Amino acid sequence: MNIIDEIKRKAGKKLVRIVLPETEDIRILKACSIVQKEGFAIPILIGEEEKIMEIAQKEGVVLTDVLIINPKTYKKSADLVQAFYEIRKDKGITLDEAREIVLNNYRYFGNMLVKEGLAEGLVSGSVSTTSDTLRPALQIIKASFEEKIASSFFLMELEDKSLGHNGCFIYADCGMIQNPTSEELAFIAKSSAKTFSMFFEGEAKIAFLSHSTLSSSLCPDQDKVKQAVCLAKKNYSDLKLDGEMQFDAAIIPSIAEKKMPNSEVAGHANILIFPDLDAGNIGYKITERLAHAKAYGPLTQGLNKPVNDLSRGCDVDSIVGVIAITALQAIYPLV
């Protein structure tokens, strides 16, 4: 059983509603049909039913008894508009502007469904940018008080099961925080460990990545990561973590023995903390394309309720996987 099949199994224990606002994309409709058949979540499509069904029928996609909500005719739309206005009025938004946004931008409408408890999670990004997907979530759902900041991660699944946790890794942050501070890197590590425990049985082993291993090169970027490791060890002493280290030292035991022989993490890391968004985004794409890994994300951690992004180059299976992950996030730790 691969990791997504296991996630589907867990998510299916308590069916939750996942909003899919990008209904103009046939990949979303195909994914919706698969989710319905497999029965691990309840998809909600946003838009005009006639248009959605026309797109589906042209491609031979069967959508039976799927829940479709049209913001312009939904009986609770006025309540959602008012609630959004209350959230954003301090930012200068008017009630008319709130109405325009909620009724015409399906991502905002979908986030309001989640905010008001009419759904448990949202998946978007197949046709929109990461910022277009995450901006409504940060404005409406917001970071949880416990987590303090929201960040993103990729769930990576490799064919080589000797690496990471049976071939799986958490890569963070690859899609949200452009240039995290040392404090933010430490907190991203904490959030990623919590995410790891949701997916896997086993111990999280966190490597803080850099272009150097244990100060083999001296520069401000390396200092930032070194300080992050110090903060994480001080504040989260229950976590197994180490760094700064190079990528190969983090995942290859023979190299770790030479570069960090006394580390419990080096050579066996299953969570990789990247120093900035450039490194994280480049790293996951290289792994996906050259190692033929499955990449699910960018997924969010630290929000009050799960809202997850898709790569615009995603395939249907990846969309289904992200829907399953979102459903599991919505019910964790109930499973």
Side-chain angles (χ1 to χ4, degrees):
M1 180 181 292
N2 64 31
I3 183 57
I4 293 299
D5 287 338
E6 176 63 14
I7 289 170
K8 289 176 182 177
R9 184 190 68 79
K10 291 179 179 179
K13 293 180 178 180
K14 181 177 172 60
L15 295 180
V16 294
R17 300 160 292 183
I18 305 299
V19 179
L20 305 173
E22 295 175 316
T23 49
E24 70 273 32
D25 187 345
I26 189 60
R27 293 172 297 173
I28 295 294
L29 303 187
K30 288 180 178 179
C32 175
S33 179
I34 292 171
V35 173
Q36 279 192 296
K37 290 176 184 177
E38 297 189 357
F40 59 83
I42 301 169
I44 299 176
L45 300 177
I46 307 300
E48 298 178 24
E49 182 172 359
E50 185 176 340
K51 289 183 179 179
I52 292 170
M53 298 308 292
E54 181 181 355
I55 295 170
Q57 289 168 8
K58 281 184 179 179
E59 296 290 335
V61 177
V62 178
L63 297 174
T64 304
D65 297 326
V66 65
L67 178 57
I68 300 175
I69 296 178
N70 183 344
K72 301 230 172 41
T73 59
Y74 185 50
K75 64 181 180 179
K76 296 184 179 180
S77 285
D79 294 336
L80 298 181
V81 169
Q82 183 65 39
F84 179 66
Y85 168 69
E86 295 297 331
I87 293 170
R88 300 296 292 171
K89 66 181 181 181
D90 289 344
K91 301 297 183 180
I93 194 172
T94 67
L95 184 58
D96 286 341
E97 289 170 337
R99 183 178 298 105
E100 175 68 20
I101 292 170
V102 172
L103 297 186
N104 292 285
N105 187 314
Y106 291 171
R107 288 179 291 277
Y108 275 88
F109 182 85
N111 272 273
M112 287 306 304
L113 289 176
V114 176
K115 172 70 173 178
E116 296 301 302
L118 300 168
E120 284 71 47
L122 180 145
V123 172
S124 181
S126 67
V127 297
S128 57
T129 65
T130 294
S131 61
D132 285 339
T133 291
L134 297 183
R135 187 181 301 110
L138 293 172
Q139 291 177 358
I140 296 169
I141 306 299
K142 302 183 180 180
S144 71
F145 178 78
E146 177 185 351
E147 294 295 325
K148 298 180 183 177
I149 63 168
S151 59
S152 79
F153 69 94
F154 272 82
L155 174 60
M156 308 295 297
E157 184 175 21
L158 283 70
E159 295 177 357
D160 187 346
K161 302 306 178 185
S162 69
L163 299 174
H165 183 85
N166 296 324
C168 293
F169 288 88
I170 301 293
Y171 280 23
D173 180 336
C174 301
M176 188 175 291
I177 303 177
Q178 180 69 45
N179 190 17
T181 64
S182 296
E183 292 80 4
E184 288 171 332
L185 283 175
F187 208 89
I188 289 168
K190 174 183 179 292
S191 296
S192 298
K194 182 177 178 181
T195 292
F196 181 92
S197 69
M198 177 179 65
F199 291 134
F200 307 111
E201 293 182 4
E203 187 172 30
K205 298 178 181 178
I206 306 166
F208 286 79
L209 299 184
S210 178
H211 68 278
S212 68
T213 298
L214 295 181
S215 302
S216 62
S217 172
L218 299 176
C219 72
D221 287 342
Q222 176 265 333
D223 288 342
K224 180 181 80 168
V225 179
K226 184 177 180 180
Q227 180 63 21
V229 176
C230 292
L231 288 170
K233 287 184 174 180
K234 176 183 177 182
N235 296 331
Y236 316 119
S237 58
D238 57 319
L239 298 180
K240 186 172 286 188
L241 57 92
D242 212 344
E244 89 285 5
M245 67 181 79
Q246 292 161 297
F247 179 80
D248 54 358
I251 68 167
I252 306 298
S254 60
I255 295 175
E257 287 175 6
K258 297 176 182 177
K259 294 186 175 183
M260 298 184 71
N262 299 317
S263 175
E264 293 183 291
V265 171
H268 306 284
N270 45 43
I271 298 176
L272 304 181
I273 305 301
F274 291 85
D276 56 40
L277 198 60
D278 287 340
N281 193 271
I282 292 168
Y284 104 76
K285 286 185 182 291
I286 288 175
T287 307
E288 180 183 27
R289 300 302 178 180
L290 296 187
H292 306 291
K294 294 292 289 184
Y296 301 97
L299 305 159
T300 58
Q301 53 190 10
L303 291 173
N304 280 305
K305 296 183 180 181
V307 173
N308 284 320
D309 191 18
L310 297 164
S311 168
R312 280 173 284 176
C314 63
D315 58 20
V316 173
D317 286 343
S318 294
I319 298 171
V320 172
V322 172
I323 293 171
I325 290 167
T326 308
L328 182 59
Q329 287 178 310
I331 62 177
Y332 180 80
L334 300 178
V335 293

